[in-house]
């Protein structure tokens, strides 16, 4: 049995209407501010494992939030997220990313490998477009932002080195031509 945290118990059936409204508004704000959102099914994950996943996601620049589906559906009403409601059933966790969706997707994928393929991706939203789990897995296979920036820096450095080599070659050719012209000029005198 999965134990609920204090926040999750507050979101349970016994909440007052104003509390439900506040939680739905908080979920809506979190969804609206996220660079990408991955809806996961955490069936079978212990509370300790969920805590470990939260830590890994925090390190990857994201957060993990267990949500009540009815309140999440209510939160989605005012947002531009189409077709997510059908994926909100059963135990649901939201991965809320910053600007880089690759690192959090990679963190969930690696965590799932170590935890009997749990959690699983149900659907994602990247750049306000709904993406299937297969696309999230492809995203997780991409190199991280740091690797990409390193590759770009390496390419720029090698390009500058190549340009410098071309200029050196041109200068050498010009110097050779000037020398040849000077020799011809001396020979005509």
């Amino acid at each position: 049995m999965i134990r609920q945290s204090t926040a999750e118990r507050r979101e349970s059936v016994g909440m007052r209407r104003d509390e439900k409204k506040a939680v739905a508004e908080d979920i809506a704000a979190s969804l609206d501010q996220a660079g990408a959102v991955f809806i996961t099914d955490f069936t079978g994950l212990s509370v300790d494992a969920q805590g470990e996943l939260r830590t890994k996601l925090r390190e990857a620049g994201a957060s993990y939030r267990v949500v009540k589906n009815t309140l999440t559906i209510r939160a989605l009403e005012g947002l531009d997220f189409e077709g997510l409601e059908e994926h909100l059933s059963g135990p649901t966790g939201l991965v809320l990313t910053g600007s880089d969706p690759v690192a959090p997707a990679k963190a969930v994928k690696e965590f799932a490998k170590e935890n009997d393929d749990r959690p699983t991706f149900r659907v994602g939203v990247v750049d306000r477009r709904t993406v299937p789990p297969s696309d999230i897995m492809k995203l997780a296979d991409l190199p991280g932002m740091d690797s990409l920036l390193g590759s770009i820096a390496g390419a720029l450095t090698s390009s500058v080195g190549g340009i410098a080599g071309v200029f050196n070659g041109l200068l050498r050719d010009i110097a050779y031509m000037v020398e040849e012209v000077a020799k011809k000029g001396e020979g005509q005198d």
Side-chain angles (χ1 to χ4, degrees):
M1 182 176 164
I2 298 175
R3 296 185 326 217
Q4 290 182 322
S5 69
T6 305
E8 292 165 337
R9 280 193 294 268
R10 272 198 328 256
E11 293 182 295
S12 67
V13 178
M15 291 176 67
R16 293 189 326 251
R17 178 172 284 163
D18 59 333
E19 290 175 322
K20 289 180 182 179
K21 182 179 179 186
V23 170
E25 288 172 354
D26 186 47
I27 294 170
S30 296
L31 289 168
D32 196 40
Q33 293 171 2
V37 177
F38 305 130
I39 297 178
T40 65
D41 180 344
F42 64 87
T43 300
L45 278 182
S46 68
V47 173
D48 291 339
Q50 289 178 44
E52 186 180 330
L53 176 59
R54 281 185 175 92
T55 300
K56 290 186 182 294
L57 284 168
R58 239 186 327 271
E59 292 168 358
S63 64
Y64 189 73
R65 181 170 183 175
V66 172
V67 293
K68 187 164 177 61
N69 294 322
T70 54
L71 295 179
T72 304
I73 291 169
R74 189 179 296 172
L76 287 169
E77 289 174 0
L79 300 176
D80 187 27
F81 290 98
E82 302 270 334
L84 295 185
E85 292 85 1
E86 66 191 66
H87 301 283
L88 295 170
S89 63
T92 302
L94 300 177
V95 176
L96 304 161
T97 76
S99 60
D100 177 20
V102 174
K106 191 179 298 280
V108 172
K109 182 179 178 181
E110 290 171 2
F111 180 85
K113 279 183 188 177
E114 300 166 1
N115 290 279
D116 297 325
D117 293 326
R118 294 182 181 126
T120 58
F121 291 112
R122 288 186 190 154
V123 71
V125 177
V126 179
D127 293 330
R128 300 289 192 208
R129 290 188 319 247
T130 304
V131 294
S134 59
D135 287 356
I136 300 170
M137 295 303 268
K138 289 176 187 172
L139 193 64
D141 291 334
L142 292 174
M145 186 66 79
D146 290 340
S147 295
L148 290 175
L149 291 175
S151 296
I152 291 170
L156 290 174
T157 302
S158 66
S159 296
V160 170
I163 291 170
V166 168
F167 281 131
N168 281 338
L170 287 173
L171 290 174
R172 186 178 52 248
D173 290 347
I174 291 172
Y176 176 74
M177 288 186 335
V178 168
E179 186 178 321
E180 288 298 313
V181 169
K183 285 181 184 176
K184 283 185 181 183
E186 289 175 9
Q188 290 178 1
D189 286 340

